Amino acid sequence: MKSVLSPDLPMACTLIGILDDGWAGLSDHACRCLGAADLVIGAGRTLALVRPHLPADRTLKDMDGQLGRVPEWIQSAHAVGQSVVVLATGDPLCHGIASFLIGRLGVAAVDILPAPSTVQVACARFHKPWQKLRIASCHSTDAGEWFVGAGPGHGLYPVMRTIALHPLVAVFTGPENSPARLARALIAAGHGDEPKLSVACRLLLADEQVFPDLTAAEAASREFPEPNVVLVERPADARQATFGFDDLEYQQRAPDKGLITKQEVRAVSLARLRLTADAMVWDIGAGSGSVGLEAARLAPLGHVWAIEKNPGDAANARANAARFRIGNYTLVEGKAPAQLDTWPDPDAVFIGGSGGELGDLIRLIMARLQPQGRLVINLVTLENLATATTALVAVGATWDVVQLQASRSQPILDMHRLVAQNPVWIITANKEKECPLTEN
């Protein structure tokens, strides 16, 4: 068998996409390749679609539960001069097995004849242009129900982040991670009835069904025929700042209004963290959540883990996360360093409150920070400034201090005067080398 693009290049296999309309939906070239193949590999359901059209002496191998052995089967057949076809659903390069086979066999060994993706067919059914669509998948093992504060380890996390960031998303579902479970997750995440779910079931089969523009509540308790694909569409976000929200936009502890990292200090602290889009962030002493929540917006492909010991402040942080629909944020109640050992090593850490454990926290954090990671600390007392700098020197960290003191205008009669805020020290430490957990 030769490459379609390079006729002189021998191929180990041809990877053919097929949909549920089976043989009738294949191109003439794909049918000829199948008819000439000595070995046909595919999932049980795709093999059933082509078996009646193949000569009786052809060898068919079911790869269900044996995906890891497929490259070995291909190489063994190719070594004795047999031609091989591997069947995949739809477009093998769209959440399919093409990347896996190319990674194991090499790009020159695999020819690809795609069928339309089921996403394309679903968009056609619902008359949705798909050039700006994003694709996500939860077609995997049972992910369990979504819950507020779920982290990257949850099976629905990639889908939920994609939906949070894009107004039109196609989701490959599975028997456990169904359209109904996805709808319940959207409700739990605070989306309400804003998103519309269009569910395409058993595409290209005689019993095909489509369910356009369901609300999350309508889809949450329904059962949908398998297999299916879901289009999730929501209004594009209105223009909204990424960070720099006004202090009064945050729910804060009453009657002590003002116990929040002020906007000016927050902006400089976030700039000092130098967050990447996929940063893993710790927020220690979260308070009302202002720094951690804005960090989550600056790292939309990452995640923020926050801890707060005061129950009232923790409740406010949760309320603020719900208000701003921050889905990449996990808050726990407690006093650091408790529970930090369950969090992944961070790219950036913010300390807004230490509960008297500042020195120990600095030593632990500098040991856990990823290479080139950053620690930013806000301090208002001379004693904590001394503790922090002493601890940083002891672990060999590179650090600097900025003192920030801002004044805000306030009306007085028909004029304005400036009212000073308390000065804040902002310490930034860089992880340039390995730091020990404890002093030598």
Side-chain angles (χ1 to χ4, degrees):
M1 191 175 295
K2 304 278 182 111
S3 167
V4 173
L5 297 178
S6 303
D8 295 330
L9 179 65
M11 310 298 296
C13 71
T14 298
L15 181 54
I16 296 177
I18 187 169
L19 291 172
D20 283 341
D21 55 351
W23 194 269
L26 295 174
S27 68
D28 290 343
H29 180 64
C31 291
R32 288 194 297 271
C33 287
L34 272 165
D38 298 301
L39 171 64
V40 179
I41 302 169
R45 61 188 298 271
T46 56
L47 291 175
L49 295 172
V50 302
R51 182 178 282 110
H53 304 276
L54 298 178
D57 62 347
R58 292 296 185 265
T59 301
L60 278 64
K61 279 197 173 185
D62 189 336
M63 67 180 182
D64 286 333
Q66 302 190 81
L67 178 61
R69 298 191 62 193
V70 172
E72 170 195 335
W73 294 344
I74 294 170
Q75 290 170 326
S76 297
H78 186 61
V80 296
Q82 292 184 328
S83 57
V84 182
V85 164
V86 179
L87 295 173
T89 300
D91 184 347
L93 287 164
C94 182
H95 288 268
I97 65 171
S99 297
F100 168 72
L101 290 181
I102 290 170
R104 295 289 294 272
L105 301 173
V107 68
V110 183
D111 214 1
I112 301 174
L113 302 178
S117 167
T118 51
V119 169
Q120 292 173 265
V121 179
C123 286
R125 294 293 186 268
F126 297 120
H127 301 92
K128 303 287 187 184
W130 67 284
Q131 65 269 18
K132 294 184 179 179
L133 172 146
R134 294 302 180 106
I135 300 173
S137 177
C138 55
H139 186 79
S140 58
T141 55
D142 191 341
E145 293 290 323
W146 181 257
F147 58 91
V148 175
H154 195 285
L156 293 180
Y157 189 86
V159 169
M160 296 298 287
R161 292 308 304 147
T162 304
I163 292 172
L165 297 172
H166 303 285
L168 181 61
V169 178
V171 181
F172 289 110
T173 56
E176 291 85 12
N177 304 323
S178 64
R181 173 173 283 178
L182 177 61
R184 292 192 295 272
L186 292 171
I187 293 171
H191 289 280
D193 284 338
E194 182 183 79
K196 302 299 180 185
L197 287 76
S198 297
V199 186
C201 307
R202 300 184 62 77
L203 287 168
L204 302 177
L205 292 171
D207 58 348
E208 174 183 305
Q209 295 183 66
V210 294
F211 303 86
D213 295 328
L214 301 175
T215 66
E218 289 170 335
S221 59
R222 296 185 68 157
E223 293 187 8
F224 296 91
E226 293 284 345
N228 54 60
V229 62
V230 182
L231 300 184
V232 181
E233 189 171 17
R234 59 178 182 78
D237 290 332
R239 293 186 64 187
Q240 188 178 39
T242 301
F243 82 114
F245 293 99
D246 190 276
D247 297 347
L248 296 179
E249 293 184 69
Y250 289 96
Q251 182 172 309
Q252 304 167 46
R253 196 188 337 159
D256 302 316
K257 290 284 188 181
L259 294 179
I260 184 174
T261 301
K262 299 294 194 296
Q263 184 187 53
E264 296 84 357
V265 176
R266 195 185 326 137
V268 174
S269 297
L270 288 165
R272 287 295 205 154
L273 285 169
R274 296 187 65 177
L275 300 174
T276 59
D278 60 351
M280 299 290 114
V281 184
W282 292 3
D283 180 13
I284 297 176
S288 58
S290 63
V291 173
L293 294 173
E294 293 191 31
R297 292 177 67 87
L298 290 168
L301 305 180
H303 197 84
V304 175
W305 283 263
I307 187 167
E308 172 53 49
K309 67 177 183 177
N310 183 285
D313 286 336
N316 287 334
R318 291 193 188 96
N320 289 324
R323 179 182 180 186
F324 292 110
R325 290 187 182 174
I326 306 296
N328 55 331
Y329 182 80
T330 300
L331 175 72
V332 297
E333 286 187 35
K335 181 180 177 182
Q339 302 196 53
L340 301 189
D341 59 342
T342 67
W343 296 356
D345 290 347
D347 301 298
V349 179
F350 175 76
I351 298 179
S354 61
E357 307 291 337
L358 184 58
D360 290 340
L361 282 173
I362 289 172
R363 286 185 282 273
L364 182 151
I365 290 164
M366 294 307 297
R368 294 279 306 276
L369 267 177
Q370 295 281 8
Q372 308 306 314
R374 284 196 160 204
L375 166 64
V376 173
I377 311 170
N378 283 184
L379 301 167
V380 296
T381 70
L382 290 165
E383 290 77 9
N384 279 340
L385 178 63
T387 297
T389 55
T390 299
L392 290 168
V393 168
V395 298
T398 301
W399 57 272
D400 65 74
V401 180
V402 170
Q403 185 191 59
L404 182 64
Q405 195 276 310
S407 297
R408 294 180 178 178
S409 63
Q410 187 177 85
I412 177 171
L413 299 176
D414 59 345
M415 297 176 286
H416 292 80
R417 67 187 181 94
L418 290 177
V419 177
Q421 300 179 42
N422 290 329
V424 177
W425 286 288
I426 302 173
I427 299 180
T428 304
N430 300 296
K431 176 70 171 287
E432 296 182 350
K433 62 180 181 179
E434 291 302 316
C435 297
L437 270 171
T438 57
E439 297 177 68
N440 294 328

